[in-house]
Amino acid sequence: MATQPAIELKNITKKFGKVVANKNVNLTANRGEILSILGENGSGKTTLMNMISGIYFPDEGEIRIDGKEALIASPKDAFDYKIGMIHQHFKLVDVFSAAENIVLGIEDGKYNLKKSTDDIKRISAQYGFNLDTEKKIYTMSVSEKQTVEIIKVLYRGADILILDEPTAVLTPQETEKLFDILRRMRDDGKCIIIITHKLHEVLSLSDKVAVLRKGEYIGTVNTAETNESELTEMMVGKKIDLNIERSVPENTEDRLVVNSITCVDRVGTTVLDNVSFTAKSGEILGIAGIAGSGQRELLESIAGLQRLEYGDIFYFDPQTGKKESLRDKTPMQIRNMGVRLSFVPEDRLGMGLVGNMDIVDNMMLRSYSKGRSFFLKRKPPKDLAMKIINDLEVVTPSANTPVRRLSGGNVQKVLVGREIAASPTVLMVAYPVRGLDINSSYMIYNLLNEQKKQGVAIIFVGEDLDVLVELCDRIMVIGSGKINGIVDGRTTTKEEIGLLMTKSDSDGKENDNG
Amino acid sequence: MADKTAVKKHHEPLIHIVKRDDIPEWQAWLIRGATIIVALIFVGFLSMLVTEKGFFETYKIMFSGVFGRLLQGSTKMLWKYLQEIAILLCLALALTPAFKMKFWNCGAEGQALMGGLASIFCMIEFGEKLSYGALIAVICITSIIAGAVWGIIPAIFKALFNTNETLFTLMMNYIATQIIAYYVYIEGGGSNVINPVSVGNFPAVGNNDYFVNIITVAVITVVMYIYLKYSKQGYEISVVGESQNTAKYIGINVKKVIIRTMAVSGALCGVTGMLLVAGKDHSINTNLVGGQGFTAILMSWLGQFNPFIMVVMTAIVVFLKIGVAKVADSSFLNSSFSEIMVGIVILMLVGCEFFIQYSIRFRRKNKEVAK
C-alpha cells in the first residue's frame, strides 16, 4: 500500500471575495504516510482542508482520490470517499455519551448501541486509544473529546484523516500519546494529514511537509532532509531569528499581591480556588494551564470584572508606595484610583475592541469619558491611532477602517498598542499571539520585553509552552482553578510544566511558593 | 463504496451563494435605489391590473393624491404629506438609539399613546386654568415624562432581570391601548369619542396647522444625528450595542446606559404622541398612532440608523401610502389595498439587503469545456 497516492490536489484555487485563500495548490498525500501541512495563520491551510472535507467547493482545480477525479460537494460526499476531518473546535453533543456521539448521524439501518460499542472498543484497542464509551462528553477533558472525534471518523471507515491543529489544546504528554496513535494508524496504511504551525511537531511526527504561504503552495520536502530554519524560511519567505530575548529582571518590587482569592461562576462552580501569587515589577510572570482552568477568571478578577467570594487583591503604587485594595471595585473605580492597569483580553474583538468600529473609535474606548464635555473629542484618539499604525506597522487602508476587517495580527497590534499607550504599571495579556503570524508574534514579544525593561509587571497567560519557557521569568501553573506550582522560567522544562498542568488534587500537597 | 463513487456524476452546483466582501457604499446605495425604482414600477403595475386604469394614469393619480394642486400653487396637500412624514420619522428617530443599543423596542405605539394621553389630559384638565404658554409647557413636560416612563419600565426589567424586551414592550402596548380606551370611555361620557378640544393646540403658522410639528421633527432629526455620532452618550450606546463585554471591560455601567437610552427613546415617542394630539387631532382614541409605531421599526432599520437616510425612506413609504390609497379610492377599493402595496415595497427593500450581503454566481460554462 505504501507510497500509493491517496489524495491529489491539482491547481486548487479558492477565493473569498477579493481574498485569495488558496492559489494553484498542488499537493499529494500518500497512503501509509503522515503529511504535515505547515503554514502561518492565514496561509490557507484550513481552507484547503475544508475543500477536501466538503465544506467549501473549490473555484478552480480538481481533487483526485486514488487516482480518480472526485467531486466533493458536501461533507457526506467526503465520507463516501472515506475522508474524515477532525476539526479544531469539536462538534460533539455534550449530554450524549461517547458511544452515542460516535454513532450519531450514521444511516445504516438499525440503531444498535451495543453492537456499535463493541466496534468502537475494537477500534480503540487496535490503535491504542483509551476511551470509556459510557462517559458523557461534558465530563470529559479536552484530550478525551478529541479521542472521541478521532474514533468517530475511524468508525465511519475513514482512511484519509485530516487533523486541524490537533495539539493546540493538549499538554506535552497528551501530544506524545496522540502522536503514537497517529504513527500506528500510518503503519496500518492510513493517510494522515495534519495541519499545524508548530515546527518541532512537524519534525518529530511527519514523513513529509507541505508548506503554504499566503495561500500559495511553496513546496513539499521530506522531513528527514530538512530542519527548522529551512522550514521557517519556506513558511515566512525570509530568514528569521527564532530566539526570544529574555533579560534579567532588575530592581523588582512587589506590584500586585493576590491573596487567596476564590471565585464561583454563575452556576456555583468554584472557578478560582484559594489563589495566591505576587506579580513583581520588571518581570514577566507566565501563567500556564489547560484552557479553561481559571486563567480568564483570574485576570478578570484583577481587572474588576469578577466578583470575589474570598480573598483580596492589593496594588502597590510605585509613586506613593501606598497599598490599595482592588476588591469589589469596578474597572472605572480602579482607573480613577490611579491604578494603571492594562489588560489585553483573550477575546479581542468581543471584549478588548469593538469589531464594527474603526481604529480611532477603538482608541477612544479607553479615553472617551475624560473631561466634562457632553461631546466626544476625536482628535487625541485619532493622533494615537496614527501613532500606533506607524510605530507597530499596522496594515490597514486607513485609521477609519473597521477593525474587524483587519487581519488577526493587526487587530492584536491595535489592541496591545492601545493598552501600552496607557503607560501601565501592570500589564495583563491573555493568549496575545494566538492566531498571529510569526512576525507579528515576535513583535508582541518584543513589546512585552520593552515594557518589562521599563519596570512594568507583566502577567502573560500563554498556551504554547515553548514560548512560555523561553519568555517568562517565572511560570505559574494553574489547574482547575488552583495554583499547582510556580517554577523558575530559566530552569524549568516543558515536561515539568505539563505534569503540573494535569496534577490532580490527590497528588498531595501543593508546592505553592507564592 | 467504490462503485458508488464511480457512478457519481460530475456536476458543480448550478448556483453559488457567495458572501460578499464589504462592497463600497455607493454600490450598496445603487442596489437600494434600483430596488426602490423596481418596487415603484411593480406597485404601479399591480395597481394597474387591479384598477384597470392605465399605467401612467395610475402614477398621475398617485402624484395628485400626494401633492394635490401643488403646480397650481396650492400647498395644502404638500403640508399634509410633510406632516405624515414627520410623525412616522419622529417614531423612527425615537426607536433608533434603542436599536443601536440592540434593545428591540417594539413599544413605540404604546409609548406614543401614553404621551398623547398626557397631552389630552392636560388640555382638558388645565385648559381653562393656565395661560397658553404655561399650558403648552405642561403638555410638553408631561408627555415626555409619560412616554419615558413607558420606556423605562421594560428597560429596568431588562437591566436587572434580563427579561426579553421585545415581548415586554409589546405587552406594554396593550396596556396603553386599554388605558386610552378607559379614559375615552370616562371622558367621552360613554360615547367612546372625545370631541376635539380647542385649547392647548399648537399654533398655526401662516395658515399652516402642521408647521410646528414639521419643524419640531426637523430639529429632532438633526439633534439625534449629532447625539448618536458626536456625544459621549451616543458612543456608549454604540459600544453597549456592539458588545456588552467590551462595555463592561472598559468600565461602562451597562445597566445605566440601557435605562437612560430607553428613557430617551420613550420620551421621543411621547413627543410624537403629543404632536399627534396637540398638533393634529386635538382629541384621542385608541387608534391614534395607527400602527405607525411598527412601521417605524422598519424605517429605522432601512435608514441604517442614520436619521437623514430615514427621512428619505419615510418620504417614500408615506408617498406610497397616501398615493396608493388615492388610487384605491378612485377605484372603489378600500385602504387595505394601500397597506398591501406598502407591505410589498417594504418587503422588497428588506429583501434587497440580501443582495448587498451576498452575490449569486452561476456555474461557469467554460469550466465544463475544460473538463
Side-chain angles (χ1 to χ4, degrees), chain A residues 303-319:
Chain A
L305 294 164
Q306 187 89 32
R307 219 179 70 85
L308 301 183
E309 291 294 310
Y310 306 107
D312 210 336
I313 297 167
F314 295 106
Y315 172 77
F316 292 87
D317 197 303
Q319 261 117 45

Side-chain angles (χ1 to χ4, degrees), chain A residues 71 77 80 332 335 343 350-351 353-354 356-357 361 365 368 370-371 373-374 376 378 405 418-419, chain B residues 1 5 8 11-12 22 229-232 235-236 238 242-243 245-246 248-252 364:
Chain A
L71 185 95
D77 290 351
D80 291 345
M332 196 65 98
R335 211 176 311 155
F343 178 21
M351 188 166 185
L353 302 166
V354 178
N356 279 332
M357 286 186 173
D361 279 13
L365 279 173
Y368 84 97
K370 279 185 196 140
S373 166
F374 182 78
L376 296 163
R378 276 204 170 79
R405 291 183 57 193
R418 185 189 74 202
E419 290 304 300
Chain B
M1 196 70 85
T5 55
K8 206 167 168 104
H11 65 86
E12 188 186 336
D22 289 341
K229 196 152 187 202
Y230 297 105
S231 81
K232 286 179 182 173
Y235 181 70
E236 285 179 343
S238 306
E242 291 287 346
S243 158
N245 268 333
T246 307
K248 282 178 196 149
Y249 157 83
I250 218 68
I252 292 173
R364 271 156 305 187

Side-chain angles (χ1 to χ4, degrees), chain B residues 115-145:
Chain B
L117 177 67
S119 301
I120 195 82
F121 180 82
C122 293
M123 283 155 72
I124 290 172
E125 296 300 320
F126 308 130
E128 310 297 333
K129 297 168 195 156
L130 294 171
S131 69
Y132 181 73
L135 180 61
I136 295 293
V138 170
I139 289 173
C140 283
I141 292 164
T142 52
S143 314
I144 287 173
I145 291 174

Side-chain angles (χ1 to χ4, degrees), chain B residues 42-303:
Chain B
F42 185 68
V43 165
F45 187 68
L46 274 183
S47 307
M48 191 180 85
L49 284 183
V50 175
T51 61
E52 294 172 343
K53 285 191 162 60
F55 187 72
F56 290 102
E57 202 193 335
T58 309
Y59 284 104
K60 223 175 120 189
I61 299 171
M62 273 200 219
F63 272 94
S64 69
V66 175
F67 297 109
R69 298 171 165 277
L70 187 62
L71 294 176
Q72 283 80 26
S74 160
T75 55
K76 195 176 151 232
M77 293 302 277
L78 177 69
W79 286 116
K80 214 177 153 216
Y81 174 49
L82 291 178
Q83 143 73 20
E84 292 285 319
I85 294 174
I87 295 299
L88 184 58
L89 179 61
C90 194
L91 287 168
L93 290 169
L95 292 176
T96 301
F99 284 178
K100 265 202 119 167
M101 197 176 62
K102 301 219 162 80
F103 185 106
W104 308 120
N105 180 8
C106 295
E109 200 83 4
Q111 289 149 24
L113 278 175
M114 293 311 282
L117 177 67
S119 301
I120 195 82
F121 180 82
C122 293
M123 283 155 72
I124 290 172
E125 296 300 320
F126 308 130
E128 310 297 333
K129 297 168 195 156
L130 294 171
S131 69
Y132 181 73
L135 180 61
I136 295 293
V138 170
I139 289 173
C140 283
I141 292 164
T142 52
S143 314
I144 287 173
I145 291 174
V149 166
W150 227 242
I152 285 173
I153 295 169
I156 288 173
F157 278 81
K158 172 80 180 182
L160 298 185
F161 310 113
N162 198 23
T163 51
N164 182 307
E165 75 276 13
T166 312
L167 292 172
F168 206 123
T169 47
L170 271 175
M171 292 304 135
M172 294 292 282
N173 289 342
Y174 295 107
I175 300 174
T177 309
Q178 293 312 313
I179 293 175
I180 304 289
Y182 178 71
Y183 181 76
V184 171
Y185 178 76
I186 298 290
E187 203 56 51
S191 70
N192 282 338
V193 177
I194 294 178
N195 291 324
V197 183
S198 57
V199 284
N201 297 344
F202 287 156
V205 176
N207 232 350
N208 170 21
D209 289 342
Y210 302 135
F211 190 78
V212 174
N213 282 7
I214 293 161
I215 287 298
T216 310
V217 177
V219 170
I220 292 173
T221 308
V222 176
V223 170
M224 182 53 76
Y225 180 80
I226 295 170
Y227 177 73
L228 290 174
K229 196 152 187 202
Y230 297 105
S231 81
K232 286 179 182 173
Q233 295 191 359
Y235 181 70
E236 285 179 343
I237 290 171
S238 306
V239 175
V240 171
E242 291 287 346
S243 158
Q244 293 212 0
N245 268 333
T246 307
K248 282 178 196 149
Y249 157 83
I250 218 68
I252 292 173
N253 185 341
V254 174
K255 293 183 170 106
K256 188 177 120 190
V257 173
I258 290 177
I259 294 169
R260 184 184 69 203
T261 307
M262 271 311 287
V264 171
S265 183
L268 277 178
C269 287
V271 168
T272 320
M274 172 184 78
L275 298 179
L276 281 167
V277 170
K280 183 173 170 253
D281 289 357
H282 314 309
S283 172
I284 199 166
N285 62 53
T286 50
N287 204 27
L288 176 78
V289 194
Q292 292 188 88
F294 298 107
T295 316
I297 295 172
L298 287 160
M299 295 301 102
S300 181
W301 268 98
L302 290 175

Side-chain angles (χ1 to χ4, degrees), chain A residues 196-213:
Chain A
T196 182
H197 60 261
K198 292 184 182 168
L199 287 167
H200 61 94
E201 287 179 357
V202 170
L203 292 169
S204 72
L205 177 70
S206 57
D207 301 301
K208 278 183 182 164
V209 193
V211 182
L212 294 181
R213 186 203 310 152

Side-chain angles (χ1 to χ4, degrees), chain A residues 188-335:
Chain A
D188 192 40
K190 293 201 184 297
C191 168
I192 314 258
I193 302 176
I194 104 165
I195 304 178
T196 182
H197 60 261
K198 292 184 182 168
L199 287 167
H200 61 94
E201 287 179 357
V202 170
L203 292 169
S204 72
L205 177 70
S206 57
D207 301 301
K208 278 183 182 164
V209 193
V211 182
L212 294 181
R213 186 203 310 152
K214 291 183 179 133
E216 280 182 64
Y217 171 69
I218 304 299
T220 304
V221 289
N222 289 323
T223 314
E225 297 156 14
T226 187
N227 55 48
E228 275 201 25
S229 67
E230 188 193 2
L231 286 177
T232 316
E233 204 181 325
M234 286 174 79
M235 194 158 79
V236 186
K238 60 181 178 192
K239 273 203 187 340
I240 268 197
D241 181 13
L242 286 178
N243 290 318
I244 304 173
E245 162 198 9
R246 173 162 56 191
S247 57
V248 180
E250 285 170 6
N251 309 325
T252 59
E253 49 183 277
D254 291 1
R255 182 67 66 235
L256 197 71
V257 175
V258 174
N259 198 353
S260 44
I261 59 169
T262 297
C263 288
V264 296
D265 66 7
R266 218 183 282 171
V267 292
T269 319
T270 306
V271 284
L272 285 180
D273 190 356
N274 203 12
V275 170
S276 296
F277 68 94
T278 304
K280 294 180 179 143
S281 66
E283 186 190 76
I284 300 182
L285 172 67
I287 298 182
I290 298 164
S293 301
Q295 295 96 323
R296 184 170 57 84
E297 289 82 0
L298 179 58
L299 297 192
E300 290 188 2
S301 301
I302 299 170
L305 294 164
Q306 187 89 32
R307 219 179 70 85
L308 301 183
E309 291 294 310
Y310 306 107
D312 210 336
I313 297 167
F314 295 106
Y315 172 77
F316 292 87
D317 197 303
Q319 261 117 45
T320 60
K322 252 179 37 194
K323 180 181 175 184
E324 287 176 287
S325 168
L326 303 186
R327 195 194 156 125
D328 297 333
K329 298 277 194 302
T330 65
M332 196 65 98
Q333 284 169 325
I334 290 176
R335 211 176 311 155

Side-chain angles (χ1 to χ4, degrees), chain A residues 118-129 151 154-155:
Chain A
D118 291 341
D119 288 343
I120 293 165
K121 286 192 172 139
R122 193 176 43 73
I123 294 169
S124 303
Q126 188 185 350
Y127 296 111
F129 287 108
I151 296 179
L154 289 174
Y155 181 81

